[in-house]
Amino acid sequence: MSRPEPSPSQGIAPDGRTVLYGGVGGLLSYLIGYALTYAVTGQQIANSFAARILEIATGDPGTWKLVGWVFFNAHFVTTEIPGLFGSSAVNLVGRGDTFPGWLFLVPPVLLVLAGALVAVASRSDDLLSGAVGGATAVVAYLPLSAVGAFFFAISVGDTDAGPTLVTAILLAGIVYPLVFGAVGGALGSFASGE
């Protein structure tokens, strides 16, 4: 038995339950992604020369903030680091002996899984409703990305070092959950369709 067709006034907008599932999926994707990044990079960062300098300069070990930089780098969001002649943008994932390139797969894979689970939980039975449902992961992922960009910033004199704010919001907060959540939702609609 399939779901009734949406009325013309309803369109393709997800219902409240689907938005709730998407918000939970986005929240879990973000938190699990950060936790996995911490598990892979935390020890290396804590033992790094940069972390020790940071601790001396700020009095805070800051490992969790530096892991946040790597987590955003896994979304292709660069880290702005102020210097003597202006700031430079760096991405530490997949460069030489820094952090493994497979970290680039963590956010998309988690968001595809979240989108698929949203589609299954909300019983989306066609590609479009599944994709729209999966894209609702943006409901939680966007605010977490915006807040994370601020929390992971480190004051260096009268400037800050940290994830590039605009890219953190647009790319990590909006594009990633919309695209990968929608792909997961579309795939998940196959599992929930009858």
Side-chain angles (χ1 to χ4, degrees), residues 24-48:
V24 170
L27 172 74
L28 291 175
S29 295
Y30 191 92
L31 295 177
I32 292 170
Y34 177 81
L36 184 58
T37 305
Y38 197 100
V40 171
T41 65
Q43 189 66 35
Q44 182 181 352
I45 289 172
N47 294 332
S48 71

Side-chain angles (χ1 to χ4, degrees), residues 10 26-27 30 51 70 97 121 169:
Q10 185 182 12
L27 172 74
Y30 191 92
V70 176
D97 62 348
I169 292 170

Side-chain angles (χ1 to χ4, degrees), residues 91-166:
N91 187 330
L92 302 171
V93 175
R95 292 192 167 228
D97 62 348
T98 53
F99 304 109
W102 62 262
L103 285 172
F104 285 122
L105 297 175
V106 171
V109 167
L110 290 171
L111 285 164
V112 166
L113 287 172
L117 291 173
V118 169
V120 169
S122 62
R123 298 189 176 133
S124 299
D125 59 358
D126 62 76
L127 284 173
L128 184 58
S129 66
V132 169
T136 60
V138 74
V139 168
Y141 217 84
L142 173 58
L144 288 170
S145 294
V147 169
F150 284 106
F151 274 139
F152 297 140
I154 297 171
S155 293
V156 179
D158 55 351
T159 63
D160 287 337
T164 308
L165 181 61
V166 173

Side-chain angles (χ1 to χ4, degrees), residues 168-184:
I169 292 170
L170 294 178
L171 185 59
I174 297 174
V175 173
Y176 264 71
L178 286 180
V179 170
F180 294 110
V183 167

